[in-house]
Amino acid sequence: MGGSLVMSFGTRSLPPLGAPPARSLLRSPRGLATALTVLLGVCAVTRLLLFAADAGWYLSLDGTRDTDPWGRLLAMATSLTLLAMLPTAVVFVVWFHRVRVNAGVFAPELFRRGPGWAIGIWFIPFVGWTFLAYGIATGVWVAGAPKSSRAAAPLSAAPVTAWSVSFGAAMLASLVSGRMGAAAEAQAGLRAAELVAMASDLLFVVAAGFAVLFVRKVSAMQASA
């Protein structure tokens, strides 16, 4: 009998079996949002530098200027842009997964797929980065609104749409520019490719601005929920 009492007492000290309560999954995304704000700002600055380098390279391709200085600047700006994009992409994916997990606690009915898709979609080129990301992002955006206002008047997803469209357009312009440059057989073709590249640079800057708005707004909504 004494042994059974000890076993009973010991069992009471153990945590309950099964899945943890949903609220225990919540984590504030504000720290990640602050880091992302800084990194996205750095990305925007490097893209502006790349735009200046692309513009100089475009002008030098008219045959009247020395292309070497602009070629070196373009190579340096490209390297800096890639260095800025890599950590930004990693932190963004971590943040995106965090806010998706939180959103699944706030409004699980808004999602048909698990939170793992918030990571998996980034391994699906273009479609994952645009259409699938937009679908998850809009769900996260709506889930962050108070339930009372969510039922009365759906929260406008315009900031999410602006980010998704500008980011998708920037990637598409970058892809087209690369294809045009690879297929160009004359200076005119290279200059046309550089014009598209310059448009891509500016679109990436715009997308970074909308991304900051999206990240900070969602993080603020979830932190105050």
Side-chain angles (χ1 to χ4, degrees):
M1 181 175 179
S4 62
L5 286 174
V6 172
M7 291 179 64
S8 176
F9 177 80
T11 303
R12 289 178 189 175
S13 66
L14 295 176
L17 298 177
R23 300 293 297 186
S24 69
L25 298 175
L26 292 176
R27 298 289 186 278
S28 174
R30 280 195 165 178
L32 290 169
T34 299
L36 262 182
T37 300
V38 174
L39 288 169
L40 287 166
V42 173
C43 281
V45 171
T46 57
R47 278 289 173 178
L48 288 174
L49 176 61
L50 186 57
F51 171 80
D54 278 323
W57 179 251
Y58 169 81
L59 293 174
S60 70
L61 288 175
D62 66 356
T64 63
R65 297 173 177 83
D66 184 8
T67 60
D68 287 344
W70 291 109
R72 289 192 295 269
L73 178 60
L74 183 59
M76 181 190 71
T78 301
S79 298
L80 290 175
T81 300
L82 291 175
L83 285 174
M85 286 177 62
L86 288 175
T88 305
V90 171
V91 176
F92 184 87
V93 172
V94 174
W95 173 86
F96 198 65
H97 179 259
R98 168 44 47 199
V99 295
R100 167 59 185 86
V101 171
N102 290 346
V105 175
F106 297 140
E109 71 280 1
L110 293 176
F111 304 96
R112 292 182 299 170
R113 301 182 179 92
W117 279 88
I119 297 176
I121 59 170
W122 303 105
F123 295 93
I124 306 174
F126 197 76
V127 173
W129 306 340
T130 52
F131 297 104
L132 297 181
Y134 175 74
I136 295 176
T138 51
V140 169
W141 179 267
V142 174
K147 287 188 177 181
S148 56
S149 63
R150 197 190 311 156
L155 187 66
S156 172
V160 185
T161 303
W163 161 68
S164 183
V165 169
S166 58
F167 183 55
M171 288 192 297
L172 182 60
S174 179
L175 177 63
V176 170
S177 171
R179 295 285 179 86
M180 290 174 63
E185 297 180 355
Q187 295 288 81
L190 291 174
R191 283 169 65 86
E194 282 304 306
L195 283 177
V196 179
M198 290 161 61
S200 173
D201 295 334
L202 293 180
L203 284 169
F204 272 118
V205 173
V206 172
F210 283 126
V212 169
L213 176 63
F214 167 52
V215 167
R216 296 195 69 83
K217 179 63 176 177
V218 166
S219 299
M221 288 192 297
Q222 290 196 350
S224 61

PDB file of all heavy atoms in Angstrom, residues 112-142:
ATOM      1  N   ARG A 112      -5.859  25.824 -44.352  1.00  0.00           N
ATOM      2  CA  ARG A 112      -6.119  24.439 -44.733  1.00  0.00           C
ATOM      3  C   ARG A 112      -4.876  23.579 -44.592  1.00  0.00           C
ATOM      4  O   ARG A 112      -4.973  22.356 -44.553  1.00  0.00           O
ATOM      5  CB  ARG A 112      -6.610  24.378 -46.189  1.00  0.00           C
ATOM      6  CG  ARG A 112      -7.989  24.979 -46.416  1.00  0.00           C
ATOM      7  CD  ARG A 112      -8.409  24.843 -47.858  1.00  0.00           C
ATOM      8  NE  ARG A 112      -7.500  25.528 -48.765  1.00  0.00           N
ATOM      9  CZ  ARG A 112      -7.517  25.421 -50.083  1.00  0.00           C
ATOM     10  NH1 ARG A 112      -8.390  24.622 -50.661  1.00  0.00           N
ATOM     11  NH2 ARG A 112      -6.656  26.096 -50.829  1.00  0.00           N
ATOM     12  N   ARG A 113      -3.701  24.197 -44.562  1.00  0.00           N
ATOM     13  CA  ARG A 113      -2.445  23.458 -44.450  1.00  0.00           C
ATOM     14  C   ARG A 113      -1.740  23.818 -43.151  1.00  0.00           C
ATOM     15  O   ARG A 113      -1.976  24.870 -42.583  1.00  0.00           O
ATOM     16  CB  ARG A 113      -1.529  23.746 -45.644  1.00  0.00           C
ATOM     17  CG  ARG A 113      -2.141  23.398 -47.008  1.00  0.00           C
ATOM     18  CD  ARG A 113      -1.145  23.664 -48.121  1.00  0.00           C
ATOM     19  NE  ARG A 113      -1.673  23.334 -49.429  1.00  0.00           N
ATOM     20  CZ  ARG A 113      -2.307  24.201 -50.219  1.00  0.00           C
ATOM     21  NH1 ARG A 113      -2.474  25.457 -49.798  1.00  0.00           N
ATOM     22  NH2 ARG A 113      -2.762  23.838 -51.395  1.00  0.00           N
ATOM     23  N   GLY A 114      -0.845  22.946 -42.728  1.00  0.00           N
ATOM     24  CA  GLY A 114      -0.127  23.149 -41.484  1.00  0.00           C
ATOM     25  C   GLY A 114       0.898  24.269 -41.573  1.00  0.00           C
ATOM     26  O   GLY A 114       1.252  24.732 -42.667  1.00  0.00           O
ATOM     27  N   PRO A 115       1.435  24.713 -40.422  1.00  0.00           N
ATOM     28  CA  PRO A 115       2.411  25.813 -40.406  1.00  0.00           C
ATOM     29  C   PRO A 115       3.734  25.482 -41.086  1.00  0.00           C
ATOM     30  O   PRO A 115       4.481  26.390 -41.445  1.00  0.00           O
ATOM     31  CB  PRO A 115       2.611  26.080 -38.907  1.00  0.00           C
ATOM     32  CG  PRO A 115       2.188  24.822 -38.229  1.00  0.00           C
ATOM     33  CD  PRO A 115       1.101  24.249 -39.073  1.00  0.00           C
ATOM     34  N   GLY A 116       4.012  24.189 -41.275  1.00  0.00           N
ATOM     35  CA  GLY A 116       5.246  23.813 -41.968  1.00  0.00           C
ATOM     36  C   GLY A 116       5.313  24.348 -43.387  1.00  0.00           C
ATOM     37  O   GLY A 116       6.411  24.559 -43.932  1.00  0.00           O
ATOM     38  N   TRP A 117       4.139  24.598 -43.973  1.00  0.00           N
ATOM     39  CA  TRP A 117       4.118  25.158 -45.329  1.00  0.00           C
ATOM     40  C   TRP A 117       4.691  26.573 -45.373  1.00  0.00           C
ATOM     41  O   TRP A 117       5.121  27.039 -46.436  1.00  0.00           O
ATOM     42  CB  TRP A 117       2.688  25.173 -45.871  1.00  0.00           C
ATOM     43  CG  TRP A 117       2.270  23.845 -46.397  1.00  0.00           C
ATOM     44  CD1 TRP A 117       1.698  22.818 -45.697  1.00  0.00           C
ATOM     45  CD2 TRP A 117       2.420  23.368 -47.744  1.00  0.00           C
ATOM     46  NE1 TRP A 117       1.474  21.742 -46.521  1.00  0.00           N
ATOM     47  CE2 TRP A 117       1.900  22.047 -47.785  1.00  0.00           C
ATOM     48  CE3 TRP A 117       2.921  23.932 -48.916  1.00  0.00           C
ATOM     49  CZ2 TRP A 117       1.885  21.289 -48.948  1.00  0.00           C
ATOM     50  CZ3 TRP A 117       2.896  23.176 -50.080  1.00  0.00           C
ATOM     51  CH2 TRP A 117       2.392  21.875 -50.078  1.00  0.00           C
ATOM     52  N   ALA A 118       4.701  27.264 -44.246  1.00  0.00           N
ATOM     53  CA  ALA A 118       5.282  28.607 -44.210  1.00  0.00           C
ATOM     54  C   ALA A 118       6.781  28.567 -44.476  1.00  0.00           C
ATOM     55  O   ALA A 118       7.384  29.585 -44.818  1.00  0.00           O
ATOM     56  CB  ALA A 118       5.007  29.265 -42.857  1.00  0.00           C
ATOM     57  N   ILE A 119       7.382  27.386 -44.304  1.00  0.00           N
ATOM     58  CA  ILE A 119       8.792  27.186 -44.648  1.00  0.00           C
ATOM     59  C   ILE A 119       8.907  26.504 -46.010  1.00  0.00           C
ATOM     60  O   ILE A 119       9.698  26.912 -46.859  1.00  0.00           O
ATOM     61  CB  ILE A 119       9.495  26.339 -43.571  1.00  0.00           C
ATOM     62  CG1 ILE A 119       9.500  27.071 -42.230  1.00  0.00           C
ATOM     63  CG2 ILE A 119      10.932  26.005 -43.996  1.00  0.00           C
ATOM     64  CD1 ILE A 119      10.080  26.263 -41.087  1.00  0.00           C
ATOM     65  N   GLY A 120       8.095  25.478 -46.221  1.00  0.00           N
ATOM     66  CA  GLY A 120       8.205  24.680 -47.431  1.00  0.00           C
ATOM     67  C   GLY A 120       7.982  25.439 -48.729  1.00  0.00           C
ATOM     68  O   GLY A 120       8.625  25.140 -49.746  1.00  0.00           O
ATOM     69  N   ILE A 121       7.112  26.445 -48.715  1.00  0.00           N
ATOM     70  CA  ILE A 121       6.807  27.157 -49.962  1.00  0.00           C
ATOM     71  C   ILE A 121       8.019  27.869 -50.536  1.00  0.00           C
ATOM     72  O   ILE A 121       8.098  28.104 -51.747  1.00  0.00           O
ATOM     73  CB  ILE A 121       5.670  28.180 -49.764  1.00  0.00           C
ATOM     74  CG1 ILE A 121       6.061  29.202 -48.686  1.00  0.00           C
ATOM     75  CG2 ILE A 121       4.366  27.503 -49.446  1.00  0.00           C
ATOM     76  CD1 ILE A 121       5.127  30.374 -48.598  1.00  0.00           C
ATOM     77  N   TRP A 122       8.981  28.225 -49.688  1.00  0.00           N
ATOM     78  CA  TRP A 122      10.138  28.970 -50.178  1.00  0.00           C
ATOM     79  C   TRP A 122      11.106  28.099 -50.957  1.00  0.00           C
ATOM     80  O   TRP A 122      12.083  28.590 -51.526  1.00  0.00           O
ATOM     81  CB  TRP A 122      10.852  29.657 -49.013  1.00  0.00           C
ATOM     82  CG  TRP A 122       9.913  30.560 -48.277  1.00  0.00           C
ATOM     83  CD1 TRP A 122       9.342  30.340 -47.063  1.00  0.00           C
ATOM     84  CD2 TRP A 122       9.391  31.827 -48.726  1.00  0.00           C
ATOM     85  NE1 TRP A 122       8.502  31.368 -46.719  1.00  0.00           N
ATOM     86  CE2 TRP A 122       8.515  32.294 -47.721  1.00  0.00           C
ATOM     87  CE3 TRP A 122       9.589  32.593 -49.872  1.00  0.00           C
ATOM     88  CZ2 TRP A 122       7.829  33.510 -47.835  1.00  0.00           C
ATOM     89  CZ3 TRP A 122       8.912  33.786 -49.993  1.00  0.00           C
ATOM     90  CH2 TRP A 122       8.048  34.231 -48.983  1.00  0.00           C
ATOM     91  N   PHE A 123      10.842  26.778 -50.981  1.00  0.00           N
ATOM     92  CA  PHE A 123      11.634  25.863 -51.797  1.00  0.00           C
ATOM     93  C   PHE A 123      10.944  25.583 -53.131  1.00  0.00           C
ATOM     94  O   PHE A 123      11.414  24.745 -53.905  1.00  0.00           O
ATOM     95  CB  PHE A 123      11.872  24.551 -51.040  1.00  0.00           C
ATOM     96  CG  PHE A 123      12.718  24.711 -49.808  1.00  0.00           C
ATOM     97  CD1 PHE A 123      12.138  24.925 -48.570  1.00  0.00           C
ATOM     98  CD2 PHE A 123      14.104  24.671 -49.903  1.00  0.00           C
ATOM     99  CE1 PHE A 123      12.917  25.084 -47.442  1.00  0.00           C
ATOM    100  CE2 PHE A 123      14.894  24.846 -48.774  1.00  0.00           C
ATOM    101  CZ  PHE A 123      14.305  25.045 -47.540  1.00  0.00           C
ATOM    102  N   ILE A 124       9.834  26.274 -53.386  1.00  0.00           N
ATOM    103  CA  ILE A 124       9.122  26.159 -54.665  1.00  0.00           C
ATOM    104  C   ILE A 124       9.355  27.461 -55.432  1.00  0.00           C
ATOM    105  O   ILE A 124       8.765  28.490 -55.098  1.00  0.00           O
ATOM    106  CB  ILE A 124       7.611  25.933 -54.448  1.00  0.00           C
ATOM    107  CG1 ILE A 124       7.375  24.724 -53.534  1.00  0.00           C
ATOM    108  CG2 ILE A 124       6.903  25.753 -55.781  1.00  0.00           C
ATOM    109  CD1 ILE A 124       5.917  24.527 -53.164  1.00  0.00           C
ATOM    110  N   PRO A 125      10.223  27.450 -56.446  1.00  0.00           N
ATOM    111  CA  PRO A 125      10.582  28.694 -57.140  1.00  0.00           C
ATOM    112  C   PRO A 125       9.372  29.432 -57.702  1.00  0.00           C
ATOM    113  O   PRO A 125       8.442  28.829 -58.234  1.00  0.00           O
ATOM    114  CB  PRO A 125      11.514  28.221 -58.266  1.00  0.00           C
ATOM    115  CG  PRO A 125      12.063  26.924 -57.771  1.00  0.00           C
ATOM    116  CD  PRO A 125      10.949  26.291 -56.974  1.00  0.00           C
ATOM    117  N   PHE A 126       9.391  30.712 -57.553  1.00  0.00           N
ATOM    118  CA  PHE A 126       8.433  31.695 -58.065  1.00  0.00           C
ATOM    119  C   PHE A 126       7.003  31.464 -57.576  1.00  0.00           C
ATOM    120  O   PHE A 126       6.441  32.330 -56.915  1.00  0.00           O
ATOM    121  CB  PHE A 126       8.459  31.773 -59.596  1.00  0.00           C
ATOM    122  CG  PHE A 126       7.802  33.027 -60.102  1.00  0.00           C
ATOM    123  CD1 PHE A 126       8.468  34.239 -60.023  1.00  0.00           C
ATOM    124  CD2 PHE A 126       6.519  33.008 -60.620  1.00  0.00           C
ATOM    125  CE1 PHE A 126       7.853  35.416 -60.455  1.00  0.00           C
ATOM    126  CE2 PHE A 126       5.906  34.173 -61.050  1.00  0.00           C
ATOM    127  CZ  PHE A 126       6.574  35.372 -60.966  1.00  0.00           C
ATOM    128  N   VAL A 127       6.382  30.342 -57.915  1.00  0.00           N
ATOM    129  CA  VAL A 127       5.003  30.106 -57.483  1.00  0.00           C
ATOM    130  C   VAL A 127       4.917  30.105 -55.959  1.00  0.00           C
ATOM    131  O   VAL A 127       4.002  30.698 -55.366  1.00  0.00           O
ATOM    132  CB  VAL A 127       4.464  28.770 -58.050  1.00  0.00           C
ATOM    133  CG1 VAL A 127       3.094  28.454 -57.470  1.00  0.00           C
ATOM    134  CG2 VAL A 127       4.383  28.836 -59.561  1.00  0.00           C
ATOM    135  N   GLY A 128       5.878  29.440 -55.301  1.00  0.00           N
ATOM    136  CA  GLY A 128       5.891  29.413 -53.845  1.00  0.00           C
ATOM    137  C   GLY A 128       6.155  30.773 -53.250  1.00  0.00           C
ATOM    138  O   GLY A 128       5.558  31.147 -52.230  1.00  0.00           O
ATOM    139  N   TRP A 129       7.061  31.533 -53.891  1.00  0.00           N
ATOM    140  CA  TRP A 129       7.454  32.850 -53.377  1.00  0.00           C
ATOM    141  C   TRP A 129       6.395  33.916 -53.598  1.00  0.00           C
ATOM    142  O   TRP A 129       6.473  34.982 -52.987  1.00  0.00           O
ATOM    143  CB  TRP A 129       8.747  33.302 -54.051  1.00  0.00           C
ATOM    144  CG  TRP A 129       9.862  32.311 -53.955  1.00  0.00           C
ATOM    145  CD1 TRP A 129       9.986  31.284 -53.061  1.00  0.00           C
ATOM    146  CD2 TRP A 129      11.016  32.226 -54.789  1.00  0.00           C
ATOM    147  NE1 TRP A 129      11.136  30.580 -53.287  1.00  0.00           N
ATOM    148  CE2 TRP A 129      11.787  31.127 -54.349  1.00  0.00           C
ATOM    149  CE3 TRP A 129      11.469  32.979 -55.873  1.00  0.00           C
ATOM    150  CZ2 TRP A 129      12.994  30.756 -54.942  1.00  0.00           C
ATOM    151  CZ3 TRP A 129      12.668  32.616 -56.471  1.00  0.00           C
ATOM    152  CH2 TRP A 129      13.431  31.522 -56.010  1.00  0.00           C
ATOM    153  N   THR A 130       5.447  33.650 -54.476  1.00  0.00           N
ATOM    154  CA  THR A 130       4.431  34.661 -54.800  1.00  0.00           C
ATOM    155  C   THR A 130       3.032  34.189 -54.394  1.00  0.00           C
ATOM    156  O   THR A 130       2.510  34.602 -53.362  1.00  0.00           O
ATOM    157  CB  THR A 130       4.477  34.999 -56.295  1.00  0.00           C
ATOM    158  OG1 THR A 130       4.401  33.775 -57.065  1.00  0.00           O
ATOM    159  CG2 THR A 130       5.761  35.727 -56.656  1.00  0.00           C
ATOM    160  N   PHE A 131       2.429  33.315 -55.191  1.00  0.00           N
ATOM    161  CA  PHE A 131       1.036  32.940 -54.981  1.00  0.00           C
ATOM    162  C   PHE A 131       0.826  32.204 -53.654  1.00  0.00           C
ATOM    163  O   PHE A 131      -0.099  32.526 -52.899  1.00  0.00           O
ATOM    164  CB  PHE A 131       0.545  32.075 -56.152  1.00  0.00           C
ATOM    165  CG  PHE A 131       0.557  32.793 -57.472  1.00  0.00           C
ATOM    166  CD1 PHE A 131       1.538  32.537 -58.416  1.00  0.00           C
ATOM    167  CD2 PHE A 131      -0.404  33.747 -57.766  1.00  0.00           C
ATOM    168  CE1 PHE A 131       1.563  33.203 -59.635  1.00  0.00           C
ATOM    169  CE2 PHE A 131      -0.399  34.424 -58.979  1.00  0.00           C
ATOM    170  CZ  PHE A 131       0.592  34.149 -59.911  1.00  0.00           C
ATOM    171  N   LEU A 132       1.666  31.206 -53.372  1.00  0.00           N
ATOM    172  CA  LEU A 132       1.492  30.453 -52.130  1.00  0.00           C
ATOM    173  C   LEU A 132       1.819  31.315 -50.915  1.00  0.00           C
ATOM    174  O   LEU A 132       1.129  31.245 -49.891  1.00  0.00           O
ATOM    175  CB  LEU A 132       2.370  29.198 -52.155  1.00  0.00           C
ATOM    176  CG  LEU A 132       2.038  28.168 -53.243  1.00  0.00           C
ATOM    177  CD1 LEU A 132       2.968  26.964 -53.140  1.00  0.00           C
ATOM    178  CD2 LEU A 132       0.589  27.719 -53.147  1.00  0.00           C
ATOM    179  N   ALA A 133       2.884  32.122 -51.036  1.00  0.00           N
ATOM    180  CA  ALA A 133       3.234  33.017 -49.921  1.00  0.00           C
ATOM    181  C   ALA A 133       2.130  34.032 -49.676  1.00  0.00           C
ATOM    182  O   ALA A 133       1.813  34.356 -48.521  1.00  0.00           O
ATOM    183  CB  ALA A 133       4.548  33.738 -50.230  1.00  0.00           C
ATOM    184  N   TYR A 134       1.520  34.521 -50.748  1.00  0.00           N
ATOM    185  CA  TYR A 134       0.433  35.486 -50.607  1.00  0.00           C
ATOM    186  C   TYR A 134      -0.756  34.858 -49.876  1.00  0.00           C
ATOM    187  O   TYR A 134      -1.381  35.496 -49.015  1.00  0.00           O
ATOM    188  CB  TYR A 134       0.000  35.982 -51.985  1.00  0.00           C
ATOM    189  CG  TYR A 134      -1.198  36.902 -51.954  1.00  0.00           C
ATOM    190  CD1 TYR A 134      -1.081  38.217 -51.510  1.00  0.00           C
ATOM    191  CD2 TYR A 134      -2.459  36.446 -52.354  1.00  0.00           C
ATOM    192  CE1 TYR A 134      -2.184  39.057 -51.466  1.00  0.00           C
ATOM    193  CE2 TYR A 134      -3.557  37.284 -52.321  1.00  0.00           C
ATOM    194  CZ  TYR A 134      -3.420  38.584 -51.877  1.00  0.00           C
ATOM    195  OH  TYR A 134      -4.515  39.405 -51.830  1.00  0.00           O
ATOM    196  N   GLY A 135      -1.075  33.612 -50.216  1.00  0.00           N
ATOM    197  CA  GLY A 135      -2.190  32.948 -49.562  1.00  0.00           C
ATOM    198  C   GLY A 135      -1.986  32.820 -48.059  1.00  0.00           C
ATOM    199  O   GLY A 135      -2.895  33.077 -47.265  1.00  0.00           O
ATOM    200  N   ILE A 136      -0.780  32.422 -47.657  1.00  0.00           N
ATOM    201  CA  ILE A 136      -0.486  32.297 -46.225  1.00  0.00           C
ATOM    202  C   ILE A 136      -0.456  33.674 -45.572  1.00  0.00           C
ATOM    203  O   ILE A 136      -0.979  33.872 -44.467  1.00  0.00           O
ATOM    204  CB  ILE A 136       0.850  31.563 -46.015  1.00  0.00           C
ATOM    205  CG1 ILE A 136       0.741  30.116 -46.508  1.00  0.00           C
ATOM    206  CG2 ILE A 136       1.258  31.591 -44.540  1.00  0.00           C
ATOM    207  CD1 ILE A 136       2.040  29.342 -46.441  1.00  0.00           C
ATOM    208  N   ALA A 137       0.168  34.633 -46.251  1.00  0.00           N
ATOM    209  CA  ALA A 137       0.310  35.979 -45.680  1.00  0.00           C
ATOM    210  C   ALA A 137      -1.045  36.637 -45.432  1.00  0.00           C
ATOM    211  O   ALA A 137      -1.235  37.300 -44.408  1.00  0.00           O
ATOM    212  CB  ALA A 137       1.160  36.858 -46.602  1.00  0.00           C
ATOM    213  N   THR A 138      -1.986  36.465 -46.347  1.00  0.00           N
ATOM    214  CA  THR A 138      -3.304  37.063 -46.141  1.00  0.00           C
ATOM    215  C   THR A 138      -4.026  36.420 -44.955  1.00  0.00           C
ATOM    216  O   THR A 138      -4.708  37.100 -44.186  1.00  0.00           O
ATOM    217  CB  THR A 138      -4.182  36.936 -47.405  1.00  0.00           C
ATOM    218  OG1 THR A 138      -4.178  35.566 -47.847  1.00  0.00           O
ATOM    219  CG2 THR A 138      -3.676  37.819 -48.518  1.00  0.00           C
ATOM    220  N   GLY A 139      -3.849  35.107 -44.802  1.00  0.00           N
ATOM    221  CA  GLY A 139      -4.436  34.439 -43.647  1.00  0.00           C
ATOM    222  C   GLY A 139      -3.845  34.944 -42.347  1.00  0.00           C
ATOM    223  O   GLY A 139      -4.565  35.191 -41.369  1.00  0.00           O
ATOM    224  N   VAL A 140      -2.530  35.116 -42.326  1.00  0.00           N
ATOM    225  CA  VAL A 140      -1.852  35.641 -41.139  1.00  0.00           C
ATOM    226  C   VAL A 140      -2.326  37.060 -40.840  1.00  0.00           C
ATOM    227  O   VAL A 140      -2.561  37.432 -39.687  1.00  0.00           O
ATOM    228  CB  VAL A 140      -0.325  35.609 -41.340  1.00  0.00           C
ATOM    229  CG1 VAL A 140       0.398  36.393 -40.245  1.00  0.00           C
ATOM    230  CG2 VAL A 140       0.190  34.174 -41.370  1.00  0.00           C
ATOM    231  N   TRP A 141      -2.477  37.852 -41.885  1.00  0.00           N
ATOM    232  CA  TRP A 141      -2.905  39.246 -41.740  1.00  0.00           C
ATOM    233  C   TRP A 141      -4.312  39.324 -41.126  1.00  0.00           C
ATOM    234  O   TRP A 141      -4.550  40.067 -40.175  1.00  0.00           O
ATOM    235  CB  TRP A 141      -2.881  39.923 -43.105  1.00  0.00           C
ATOM    236  CG  TRP A 141      -3.313  41.348 -43.128  1.00  0.00           C
ATOM    237  CD1 TRP A 141      -4.568  41.826 -43.376  1.00  0.00           C
ATOM    238  CD2 TRP A 141      -2.498  42.500 -42.892  1.00  0.00           C
ATOM    239  NE1 TRP A 141      -4.581  43.188 -43.327  1.00  0.00           N
ATOM    240  CE2 TRP A 141      -3.324  43.636 -43.032  1.00  0.00           C
ATOM    241  CE3 TRP A 141      -1.150  42.683 -42.602  1.00  0.00           C
ATOM    242  CZ2 TRP A 141      -2.846  44.941 -42.870  1.00  0.00           C
ATOM    243  CZ3 TRP A 141      -0.658  43.976 -42.444  1.00  0.00           C
ATOM    244  CH2 TRP A 141      -1.504  45.084 -42.576  1.00  0.00           C
ATOM    245  N   VAL A 142      -5.236  38.543 -41.656  1.00  0.00           N
ATOM    246  CA  VAL A 142      -6.610  38.562 -41.159  1.00  0.00           C
ATOM    247  C   VAL A 142      -6.678  37.982 -39.741  1.00  0.00           C
ATOM    248  O   VAL A 142      -7.410  38.484 -38.890  1.00  0.00           O
ATOM    249  CB  VAL A 142      -7.534  37.769 -42.111  1.00  0.00           C
ATOM    250  CG1 VAL A 142      -8.941  37.655 -41.532  1.00  0.00           C
ATOM    251  CG2 VAL A 142      -7.595  38.450 -43.478  1.00  0.00           C
TER     252      VAL A 142
END
